[in-house]
Amino acid sequence: MRFDVLTLFPRIFDGYLGESLLHKAIEAGLVQVHTHDIRDWSRDKHRKVDDRPFGGGPGMVLQVEPIVDCVEAVSRQAETAGRLVMLTPQGRRLTQSVVEELAEEPRLILLCGRYEGFDQRVIDLLQPDELSIGDYILNGGETAAMVMIDAVVRLIPGVLGDEQSSVDDSFSHGDRLLEFPHYTRPRVFRGLETPPVLLSGDHQAIARWRREQSYLRTEQRRADLLPDSTESATGTTSDPQTPTLSKDSRDEPRAD
Ligand code: ADE
């Protein structure tokens, strides 16, 4: 999968792209990330790409010409034109199901805003998919683009060691539950014990306990995620196969 990131600050991405899972995915040829400096498409001798808003008001607006030129030129750099995504607090919310939809694309072009945002004609002409990572205002779309890349790449087959682990952590399969608590060695720390059931070796009992804990947590913290029909934290209506919002539940902790 190929990402092209259009930004005024391409170096912001260097650290993130050079570390951990994403670095490995790039090394393995599963993911390509190309950053592009929007200023390279400026028509101004000072590489200016913003101007004051017509009608007055604070801040600066990203100009239509360099942005449209940049998107069109970058789009032509690969065979597939790619899906254009604009990171903006005005967009629809990025959820796990949107992430899943994006992960199906062969190429995403991510347009990162700064300042007061883009001239409206950028949106009218290019009709990007406008996406927001949450109801708060960031200094720019770059961190939102990183969040999006991060969430999308872990769904690309082969990026995670065990493909099952991105199935386990899904927010998007029917019932959505928060993850149950995890424990690992030592068994006791400052008097805080590991729940004995986890050391029992009884896999059915462990699965039951985890399911109950997931329901309890979801009920206490994020009742909005529970379907209306869910009656109690003990899972009277629960499906034993219900996936949780877990990051990774592959590894069984050892008792010792
Ligand atoms: N740019 C500024 N704030 C943002 C947000 N919440 N989501 C996506 N892009 C943004």
Side-chain angles (χ1 to χ4, degrees), residues 86-91 111 113-114 131-145:
M86 176 185 280
L87 286 313
T88 163
Q90 270 84 50
L111 184 51
R114 282 269 153 178
L131 290 173
S132 163
I133 63 161
D135 292 340
Y136 38 80
I137 308 297
L138 303 166
N139 287 321
E142 288 76 10
T143 42

Side-chain angles (χ1 to χ4, degrees), residues 1-254:
M1 180 169 190
R2 171 173 172 149
F3 295 89
D4 288 272
V5 186
L6 282 39
T7 168
L8 296 180
F9 301 98
R11 281 181 300 164
I12 289 182
F13 291 85
D14 292 349
Y16 168 63
L17 296 175
E19 298 291 337
S20 188
L21 203 93
L22 191 55
H23 177 65
K24 283 194 198 137
I26 292 169
E27 291 282 290
L30 297 166
V31 176
Q32 287 179 28
V33 185
H34 301 267
T35 53
H36 309 269
D37 187 342
I38 293 170
R39 287 185 202 283
D40 292 346
W41 280 269
S42 170
R43 297 176 182 200
D44 175 84
K45 64 173 188 264
H46 303 295
R47 291 168 59 80
K48 210 166 98 77
V49 290
D50 60 345
D51 210 335
R52 284 167 296 149
F54 282 138
M60 301 292 271
V61 176
L62 289 164
Q63 292 174 289
V64 61
E65 292 146 302
I67 304 287
V68 168
D69 285 351
C70 176
V71 169
E72 290 179 345
V74 168
S75 183
R76 286 193 295 268
Q77 288 178 5
E79 258 171 43
T80 30
R83 173 161 162 182
L84 180 63
V85 171
M86 176 185 280
L87 286 313
T88 163
Q90 270 84 50
R92 69 188 168 116
R93 182 73 69 84
L94 183 72
T95 59
Q96 188 65 21
S97 57
V98 175
V99 169
E100 283 171 11
E101 195 188 303
L102 296 174
E104 298 290 319
E105 299 283 344
R107 184 182 184 201
L108 293 175
I109 301 180
L110 308 182
L111 184 51
C112 304
R114 282 269 153 178
Y115 318 124
E116 293 309 306
F118 297 91
D119 185 306
Q120 179 58 35
R121 290 164 293 184
V122 171
I123 298 155
D124 296 344
L125 274 169
L126 301 175
Q127 308 207 332
D129 191 355
E130 295 177 72
L131 290 173
S132 163
I133 63 161
D135 292 340
Y136 38 80
I137 308 297
L138 303 166
N139 287 321
E142 288 76 10
T143 42
M146 284 189 234
V147 166
M148 181 177 294
I149 294 171
D150 204 279
V152 168
V153 295
R154 61 199 311 287
L155 299 187
I156 296 171
V159 167
L160 298 184
D162 174 352
E163 285 186 29
Q164 184 58 29
S165 59
S166 72
V167 173
D168 287 346
D169 71 3
S170 178
F171 273 77
S172 63
H173 305 277
D175 286 358
R176 300 168 304 165
L177 298 179
L178 297 181
E179 197 173 355
F180 49 81
H182 295 281
Y183 294 83
T184 188
R185 285 179 289 176
R187 194 175 59 75
V188 184
F189 181 70
R190 296 190 185 172
L192 295 174
E193 304 230 7
T194 300
V197 65
L198 298 179
L199 311 173
S200 68
D202 180 341
H203 294 292
Q204 275 192 340
I206 292 169
R208 196 163 50 242
W209 180 87
R210 287 180 165 163
R211 200 164 57 243
E212 287 169 5
Q213 292 295 317
S214 281
Y215 268 95
L216 274 170
R217 274 196 167 177
T218 312
E219 203 169 55
Q220 286 162 358
R221 300 176 187 193
R222 292 292 308 275
D224 58 299
L225 293 176
L226 291 173
D228 294 341
S229 59
T230 302
E231 279 153 23
S232 82
T234 50
T236 49
T237 61
S238 73
D239 165 4
Q241 300 307 316
T242 299
T244 61
L245 302 185
S246 74
K247 195 176 125 305
D248 191 343
S249 46
R250 284 170 294 166
D251 301 321
E252 293 292 327
R254 293 213 316 255

